[in-house]
């Protein structure tokens, strides 16, 4: 940190430090600005704000680059597994074989839920959205694991991380089973992380269940792609919640809530709904026109990204994977996939999307694969939550250990009424109430 930025304001001048990272844009340090010049910075949506230092994930949105701990997402997708990536994100380095075996064993042996916790599901109405159940049940984990709630104890943090990663598929599958009225299936320790999830979602106690290796690998790959994405809305939510000292289960529940929205993780579900609504290629221009119309709130779901102003590298991998998975599962001519490809082609040739650098994001194609794997649409965002739990937990752990960490407490630019006197209700006029 050598360079300085000079800021001239009507209240005076100051020199601000410039912080250099290892890659990516430098950041101007503004933490002393208010104290020195009595100014705040105004940045709705945090478009130009680095809220923390992080060594976990790097994105170059202009070039379409995504690195986990320095490793390109393409190499991890090709050569790694979800649990290996989980280890990498949590501990900072790729594991040796024995470290990976031990980690996989720990995760496998933490998948069961407390039986009392399983009763929570029965309290939800049968048509509850599985994400609603996830928010509630994951938050309730803090009521069960008092032995891992001391956030200042590194071992407690690690146990909580393992529990969250291990139990998320069990909670997700139970929320689905509840919604269709089928009995819960217990975890099977002989299976892989995604094989076990598939079994818990699709097996019934009365019949044997064989995990389809194509589905198992496809899910593992999608989970790698969704595992972390630096300071997105849900991760920032986890960090903000955690900055107050809240326990990790409560923090992850807040992340699930933030993920649910259609502008974030809910987009994968929204893409499928949109494709079904479009129905045929002939109707694409009508929907493109709606997406471009400022007066119409409709947006092309699965398109655009705050950081990527180029093709999302994860979307490129998933698009290729769609071809492979659909071929292998015998759904090569899935009309929705054909429709998605056509929609992408038309949008990418349209001046509106070119000018604004709007490309397909990770969720444009992920729903097509989930559909091919027979995962119901309502579970798409739940799948995302399972994978992203790894990133949330890694970022939460990093935050707790950051010596610069303070409670997140943004300020505001106040635009409300200036100070005024209370008017007794007997003499209050309507204009005074609404003004
Ligand atoms: N369809 C049509 N127009 C769009 C779209 C879209 N999907 N996305 C952005 N635009 C337009 C905006 O209207 C705006 O136009 P303007 O300059 O004429 O006002 C311009 O592109 C810039 O968009 P912003 O909304 O300012 O971009 P922001 O960074 O705030 O939003 C977001 C990013 C939320 C992802 C947005 O692109 C969007 O809503 N996309 C659809 C939902 C989606 O796919 N979300 C998943 C994101 S990936 C993830 O969370 C895993």
């Amino acid at each position: 940190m050598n360079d300085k930025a000079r800021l001239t304001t009507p209240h005076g001048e100051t020199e601000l430090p410039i912080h250099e990272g290892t890659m990516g844009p430098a950041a101007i340090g503004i933490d002393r600005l208010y104290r020195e010049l009595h100014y705040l910075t105004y940045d709705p949506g945090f478009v130009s704000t680095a809220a923390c230092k992080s060594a976990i994930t790097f994105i170059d949105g202009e070039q379409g680059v995504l690195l986990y701990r320095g490793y390109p997402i393409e190499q991890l997708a090709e050569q790694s597994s979800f649990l290996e990536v989980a280890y990498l994100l949590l501990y900072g380095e790729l594991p040796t074989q024995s470290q990976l075996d031990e980690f996989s064993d720990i995760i496998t042996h933490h998948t069961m839920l407390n039986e009392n916790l399983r009763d929570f599901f029965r309290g939800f109405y049968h048509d509850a959205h599985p994400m609603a159940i996830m928010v509630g049940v994951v938050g309730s984990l803090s009521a069960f694991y008092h032995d891992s709630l001391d956030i200042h104890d590194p071992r407690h943090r690690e146990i909580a991380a393992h529990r969250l990663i291990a139990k998320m598929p069990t909670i997700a599958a139970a929320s689905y089973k509840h919604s269709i009225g089928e009995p819960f299936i217990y975890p099977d320790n002989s299976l892989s992380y995604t094989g076990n999830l598939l079994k818990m979602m699709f097996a019934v106690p009365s019949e044997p269940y064989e995990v389809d290796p194509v589905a198992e690998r496809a899910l593992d790959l999608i989970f790698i792609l969704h595992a972390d994405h630096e300071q997105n809305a849900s991760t920032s939510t986890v960090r903000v919640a955690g900055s107050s000292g809240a326990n990790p289960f409560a923090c992850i529940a807040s992340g699930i809530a933030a993920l649910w929205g259609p502008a974030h993780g809910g987009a994968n579900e929204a893409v499928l709904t949109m494709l079904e609504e479009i129905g045929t290629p002939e109707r694409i221009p009508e929907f493109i026109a709606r997406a471009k119309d400022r007066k119409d709130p409709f947006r092309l779901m699965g398109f655009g990204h705050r950081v990527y102003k180029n093709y999302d590298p994860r979307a490129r991998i998933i698009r290729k994977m769609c071809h492979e998975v659909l071929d292998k599962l015998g759904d090569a001519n899935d009309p929705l996939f054909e429709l998605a490809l056509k929609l992408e082609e038309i949008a990418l040739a349209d001046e509106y999307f070119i000018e604004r650098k709007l490309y397909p994001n990770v969720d444009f194609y992920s729903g097509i694969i989930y559909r091919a794997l027979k995962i119901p649409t309502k579970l798409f965002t739940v799948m995302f939550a399972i994978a992203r739990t790894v990133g949330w937990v890694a970022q939460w752990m990093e935050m707790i250990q950051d010596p610069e960490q303070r409670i997140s407490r943004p300020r505001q630019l106040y635009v409300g009424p200036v100070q005024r006197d209370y008017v007794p209700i007997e003499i209050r006029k309507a204009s005074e109430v609404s003004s």
Side-chain angles (χ1 to χ4, degrees):
M1 189 181 79
N2 297 317
D3 291 343
K4 298 232 184 278
R6 178 171 295 279
L7 181 70
T8 307
T9 76
H11 288 177
E13 275 191 12
T14 188
E15 279 198 335
L16 301 168
I18 296 183
H19 302 279
E20 298 280 352
T22 48
M23 293 172 82
I28 299 174
I30 51 152
D31 54 325
R32 294 199 326 263
L33 191 60
Y34 179 68
R35 216 179 320 136
E36 288 181 8
L37 292 180
H38 225 70
Y39 275 112
L40 300 172
T41 55
Y42 180 59
D43 181 20
F46 310 118
V47 178
S48 298
T49 297
C52 62
K53 289 180 184 161
S54 180
I56 301 176
T57 292
F58 174 79
I59 302 173
D60 181 336
E62 305 297 326
Q63 301 299 320
V65 171
L66 170 60
L67 312 176
Y68 290 165
R69 301 280 188 187
Y71 296 102
I73 192 67
E74 293 80 4
Q75 292 180 22
L76 294 169
E78 184 83 28
Q79 300 174 58
S80 190
S81 67
F82 177 64
L83 281 189
E84 188 180 49
V85 165
Y87 185 100
L88 172 69
L89 290 169
L90 281 180
Y91 298 104
E93 296 296 338
L94 286 168
T96 62
Q97 188 61 55
S98 64
Q99 285 170 329
L100 179 59
D101 291 344
E102 191 191 343
F103 181 66
S104 305
D105 193 65
I106 290 169
I107 298 300
T108 304
H109 288 90
H110 280 87
T111 46
M112 292 223 300
L113 300 181
N114 185 301
E115 281 301 304
N116 292 323
L117 186 74
R118 293 173 67 92
D119 288 341
F120 277 42
F121 292 88
R122 297 183 220 286
F124 286 97
Y125 203 53
H126 68 88
D127 62 355
H129 194 290
M131 283 296 279
I133 300 181
M134 294 289 288
V135 174
V137 173
V138 172
S140 77
L141 290 176
S142 26
F144 289 83
Y145 299 110
H146 301 291
D147 60 339
S148 59
L149 292 185
D150 180 0
I151 61 163
H152 302 295
D153 181 330
R155 183 64 190 132
H156 278 214
R157 294 199 295 267
E158 189 176 37
I159 296 170
H162 293 163
R163 282 183 171 143
L164 277 157
I165 295 167
K167 293 182 199 308
M168 206 58 85
T170 318
I171 295 172
S175 66
Y176 172 54
K177 286 297 197 190
H178 175 73
S179 73
I180 56 170
E182 284 186 3
F184 299 155
I185 302 293
Y186 280 88
D188 180 341
N189 287 358
S190 68
L191 296 175
S192 69
Y193 191 81
T194 50
N196 181 43
L197 170 61
L198 285 166
K199 182 173 175 192
M200 289 190 293
M201 282 195 296
F202 298 126
V204 286
S206 45
E207 280 175 26
Y209 179 83
E210 282 283 317
V211 174
D212 178 343
V214 175
E216 186 181 16
R217 174 61 191 147
L219 212 48
D220 196 79
L221 183 50
I222 295 195
F223 282 8
I224 292 175
L225 302 181
H226 282 89
D228 193 46
H229 213 230
E230 54 120 303
Q231 309 311 318
N232 54 81
S234 56
T235 303
S236 299
T237 304
V238 169
R239 280 187 179 256
V240 170
S243 77
S244 72
N247 75 69
F249 304 106
C251 295
I252 301 308
S254 72
I256 296 173
L259 185 75
W260 193 1
H264 191 11
N268 52 16
E269 183 177 334
V271 169
L272 247 269
T273 311
M274 176 187 75
L275 290 174
E276 276 162 1
E277 204 188 332
I278 297 176
T280 60
E282 295 72 51
R283 293 193 65 202
I284 292 176
E286 179 195 323
F287 282 80
I288 296 268
R290 282 188 60 194
K292 288 156 55 173
D293 181 356
R294 278 173 176 268
K295 283 182 246 119
D296 190 329
F298 174 78
R299 283 191 160 195
L300 215 51
M301 298 317 287
F303 256 77
H305 196 276
R306 169 62 61 77
V307 186
Y308 292 120
K309 301 303 167 200
N310 198 328
Y311 214 99
D312 179 338
R314 303 166 301 171
R316 189 169 278 123
I317 298 169
I318 292 203
R319 189 181 194 272
K320 183 164 162 266
M321 196 180 149
C322 268
H323 284 286
E324 291 167 11
V325 170
L326 296 183
D327 273 351
K328 284 187 191 147
L329 295 177
D331 292 332
N333 300 321
D334 178 356
L336 281 199
F337 183 41
E338 302 286 328
L339 191 63
L341 289 171
K342 193 74 198 155
L343 180 58
E344 178 193 337
E345 187 191 315
I346 295 177
L348 291 185
D350 190 294
E351 206 44 47
Y352 175 95
F353 292 86
I354 296 170
E355 243 175 47
R356 290 166 180 76
K357 300 190 173 158
L358 299 170
Y359 291 86
N361 59 50
V362 67
D363 282 328
F364 190 66
Y365 287 108
S366 62
I368 308 266
I369 298 194
Y370 288 142
R371 208 169 83 103
L373 302 181
K374 311 278 180 283
I375 293 174
T377 314
K378 273 188 171 180
L379 277 185
F380 289 3
T381 312
V382 172
M383 297 295 112
F384 194 158
I386 297 174
R388 185 54 59 83
T389 295
V390 166
W392 290 331
V393 165
Q395 300 265 354
W396 171 80
M397 284 180 142
E398 183 183 64
M399 181 205 64
I400 302 283
Q401 294 170 81
D402 182 350
E404 293 180 0
Q405 191 269 323
R406 302 168 74 182
I407 187 166
S408 290
R409 192 358 182 139
R411 300 296 304 274
Q412 63 174 9
L413 185 63
Y414 178 68
V415 294
V418 295
Q419 184 171 331
R420 50 186 172 162
D421 290 326
Y422 179 83
V423 181
I425 197 159
E426 311 79 56
I427 56 167
R428 204 173 297 158
K429 294 193 191 92
S431 61
E432 282 168 342
V433 174
S434 60
S435 66

